[in-house]
Amino acid sequence: MELFLIIFFCLCLFFPVLHLFHCLPWFREKDERMQLNPESEKGISILVPSFNEAGIIETSVESMKSLAYENYEVIYINDGSTDETFTILNNSLQLYESPKAVNRQLTHEEITGVYRSEVFPHIYVVNKVNGGKADALNAGIEHSDKELIVTLDADTILTAPALTVVNEKFADPDVIAAGGMVHVLQTKSSSPLKKLSLAGTKMLVRVQMLDFLKAFYVTKLSLARFQALAIISGAFGIFDKQALIDVKGYRSSVGEDIDITLKIHRYIARQKHKKVLLITEAISYTELPETWRDLFKQRIRWQKSYMDCLVHFRGFLTKTVLTKPVSFFYIIESFFVGILAAYITAGFFVANALLNLAIVFIGFVVIYLSYILLFNFVYNLLAIRQVKRYGFTFEKGDKLRLINTVIFDVFIHRFVTMYFVMYGSIAYFFNRDWKKVSRTGRKYKMDPAYQAGSNKK
């Protein structure tokens, strides 16, 4: 038993420590350091699937009216919304019917209308019968004109320079897909682009912000350097359009973002030079849940999507577990250490409590809790240091809020997250549906960079 606990403990410690070190600047890859300075802009189609997004769609439109880029289009795919989504789009954009050429290479539900903005001709709206997010994205790809596809959630806004950075990275012909960095919209300061503010935010939002900092600036950054990035966030993903068509677009699933990323990895498995990047300079902001109920719905969907792709791609993942970094980390780290370890830990606590094996139980509890306290404090502090290394700063007065958030994360949120993982992994086999997270309906102010160019035609 003691040997098993030691092995188990070391395995749980190995991967987080690995990412803690591998995310540091010493391990930067050539792609991160290289400046290509392309002479021309690649065409970029921004796809925004929208289903009942009346609470946030106006903010999205404001951010899309003008970015620091010329060769781009925005396509809102209204996926059979039953609320005021289309009315708001029409009022904001002054739409008129304008059929668009389609590729006819991907399948999707029926299109009921294609519209173009009179005041912002680079923005389109595609109305369609409801088919889900993956179906809406396929419809968007079919109606896109550009060579690169950017996928955004309706509650995600891009910073003004984001597309310029994307263009620079995709000047390398070997880059076939990439993820952008996602920050929390509720913490976005109205002053400089890289200023974060915690004033007025709920603890639940702040602890999710910490999750995102750890996920993007530690774990994802490390995985991308290993060419093992298995999740290009649906909030902000960038893809070569032809690659999306070659893999037959998005599959209708619980988690289309993991699915399309693994499809891309499978697609390039025999193409040694093709790569999937994480672009740290391409910044976006997305709205996060503000209630425990909505957080539960979101995290259970995330876990179901992981399980769905584990099942769907089991052949590819198991065959390449020792040859492809993405398969190794997906199975060994995410499944064995991330999921099975949660059940083993919970089972050990329950079993020892029931059998009253006091000495072993108390000893393990002391060691395990010490590890949680010390290691997770370090992990959180490093993530905060990492985001500062990439140019972000917090507002004055946020230091105490950060300390309180770290304490809440270590003592409470970590265990809630473990419950989400355990519950979602089992729930997948009984119910593969997922419920939409409510939008706050809050109006967010855009940066001056957006407003200055808001008359682009």
Side-chain angles (χ1 to χ4, degrees):
M1 176 64 75
E2 290 183 5
L3 179 61
F4 171 78
L5 290 177
I6 292 172
I7 295 173
F8 167 73
F9 182 78
C10 290
L11 191 60
C12 289
L13 194 60
F14 172 75
F15 288 101
V17 170
L18 174 66
H19 296 317
L20 274 177
F21 281 98
H22 198 233
C23 73
L24 296 176
W26 313 322
F27 299 99
R28 282 188 299 177
E29 292 290 304
K30 181 181 178 182
D31 301 307
E32 298 174 69
R33 302 189 302 268
M34 190 165 50
Q35 297 286 334
L36 294 176
N37 299 317
E39 296 180 359
S40 61
E41 291 183 343
K42 288 182 179 291
I44 298 177
S45 295
I46 301 175
L47 309 185
V48 188
S50 309
F51 173 71
N52 289 354
E53 299 289 359
I56 196 69
I57 201 71
E58 192 173 352
T59 296
S60 174
V61 169
E62 284 301 311
S63 72
M64 293 301 162
K65 285 180 179 178
S66 181
L67 296 167
Y69 203 75
E70 291 295 326
N71 190 11
Y72 79 102
E73 64 177 359
V74 183
I75 303 175
Y76 286 93
I77 307 99
N78 182 31
D79 190 36
S81 295
T82 56
D83 65 356
E84 299 299 311
T85 296
F86 182 74
T87 300
I88 294 172
L89 286 170
N90 190 28
N91 292 340
S92 301
L93 299 171
Q94 299 178 36
L95 300 173
Y96 67 96
E97 285 199 59
S98 178
K100 220 169 181 287
V102 295
N103 298 296
R104 302 192 185 281
Q105 293 176 290
L106 303 177
T107 59
H108 52 76
E109 293 291 339
E110 180 185 357
I111 303 299
T112 57
V114 179
Y115 305 86
R116 189 175 189 178
S117 172
E118 287 188 354
V119 287
F120 305 101
H122 61 296
I123 303 182
Y124 298 83
V125 174
V126 174
N127 270 354
K128 63 182 289 293
V129 174
N130 179 260
K133 186 176 179 181
D135 192 83
L137 287 168
N138 285 339
I141 296 168
E142 282 287 284
H143 287 80
S144 65
D145 294 333
K146 311 299 184 181
E147 57 188 302
L148 295 183
I149 299 290
V150 167
T151 63
L152 300 180
D153 285 344
D155 61 348
T156 300
I157 65 171
L158 295 177
T159 53
L163 297 186
T164 301
V165 176
V166 166
N167 182 61
E168 178 183 314
K169 294 300 181 182
F170 275 79
D172 180 351
D174 288 329
V175 177
I176 201 167
M181 305 301 274
V182 183
H183 284 260
V184 179
L185 188 54
Q186 289 98 320
T187 66
K188 184 178 184 298
S189 172
S190 58
S191 47
L193 289 176
K194 287 196 170 185
K195 196 83 170 177
L196 302 175
S197 174
L198 303 183
T201 58
K202 298 179 179 180
M203 175 61 77
L204 188 59
V205 171
R206 298 205 297 266
V207 78
Q208 290 177 84
M209 177 208 70
L210 269 185
D211 270 355
F212 271 54
L213 297 187
K214 289 182 285 187
F216 282 89
Y217 287 92
V218 180
T219 308
K220 284 180 180 285
L221 184 55
S222 171
L223 289 172
R225 289 172 178 175
F226 281 121
Q227 275 299 295
L229 187 63
I231 309 174
I232 292 176
S233 173
F236 183 16
I238 313 105
F239 303 90
D240 176 88
K241 178 181 175 179
Q242 189 57 50
L244 290 178
I245 293 172
D246 288 344
V247 301
K248 302 187 185 307
Y250 287 79
R251 175 177 66 94
S252 181
S253 64
V254 185
E256 72 292 326
D257 48 0
I258 306 180
D259 181 80
I260 198 64
T261 310
L262 291 178
K263 271 189 172 184
I264 293 291
H265 276 289
R266 187 172 60 186
Y267 173 69
I268 65 174
R270 296 182 181 179
Q271 304 177 54
K272 293 183 179 180
H273 301 294
K274 298 297 181 183
K275 4 180 212 193
V276 176
L277 303 182
L278 183 70
I279 307 178
T280 54
E281 300 89 353
I283 309 298
S284 69
Y285 291 83
T286 195
E287 189 178 71
L288 294 186
E290 295 193 359
T291 67
W292 282 104
R293 179 186 178 87
D294 281 330
L295 180 63
F296 175 82
K297 289 190 290 188
Q298 182 192 68
R299 295 304 175 90
I300 296 306
R301 180 176 70 85
W302 288 1
Q303 194 58 32
K304 286 182 178 180
S305 69
Y306 171 85
M307 296 300 297
D308 180 71
C309 288
L310 180 66
V311 172
H312 184 77
F313 291 95
R314 63 189 181 279
F316 167 70
L317 294 170
T318 53
K319 287 178 182 177
T320 59
V321 66
L322 298 179
T323 58
K324 290 282 292 180
V326 67
S327 301
F328 176 81
F329 282 95
Y330 200 90
I331 292 178
I332 305 301
E333 180 185 18
S334 299
F335 181 65
F336 284 105
V337 176
I339 297 177
L340 291 186
Y343 289 109
I344 292 171
T345 301
F348 183 83
F349 272 81
V350 171
N352 280 275
L354 293 176
L355 296 173
N356 198 28
L357 300 176
I359 297 177
V360 176
F361 179 63
I362 293 173
F364 178 76
V365 168
V366 170
I367 294 173
Y368 187 71
L369 291 182
S370 298
Y371 150 71
I372 287 177
L373 293 175
L374 178 61
F375 186 76
N376 281 282
F377 267 116
V378 171
Y379 211 94
N380 278 301
L381 295 177
L382 176 76
I384 294 169
R385 180 68 186 90
Q386 271 285 93
V387 77
K388 290 182 178 179
R389 185 176 283 121
Y390 281 89
F392 283 87
T393 56
F394 288 91
E395 296 279 9
K396 291 182 179 179
D398 278 344
K399 184 175 290 186
L400 182 59
R401 297 186 187 97
L402 277 173
I403 293 172
N404 291 337
T405 306
V406 170
I407 293 172
F408 181 82
D409 179 56
V410 171
F411 285 97
I412 297 175
H413 186 252
R414 172 180 170 80
F415 297 98
V416 175
T417 301
M418 184 183 296
Y419 168 74
F420 290 154
V421 169
M422 296 170 64
Y423 183 95
S425 298
I426 294 174
Y428 165 76
F429 295 99
F430 295 93
N431 180 0
R432 299 180 188 181
D433 295 334
W434 59 276
K435 297 179 180 179
K436 183 178 174 64
V437 173
S438 302
R439 305 302 187 201
T440 65
R442 189 178 295 115
K443 305 297 182 185
Y444 295 94
K445 293 182 179 179
M446 295 298 101
D447 294 308
Y450 292 113
Q451 303 302 328
S454 62
N455 293 320
K456 176 181 176 176
K457 297 285 181 78

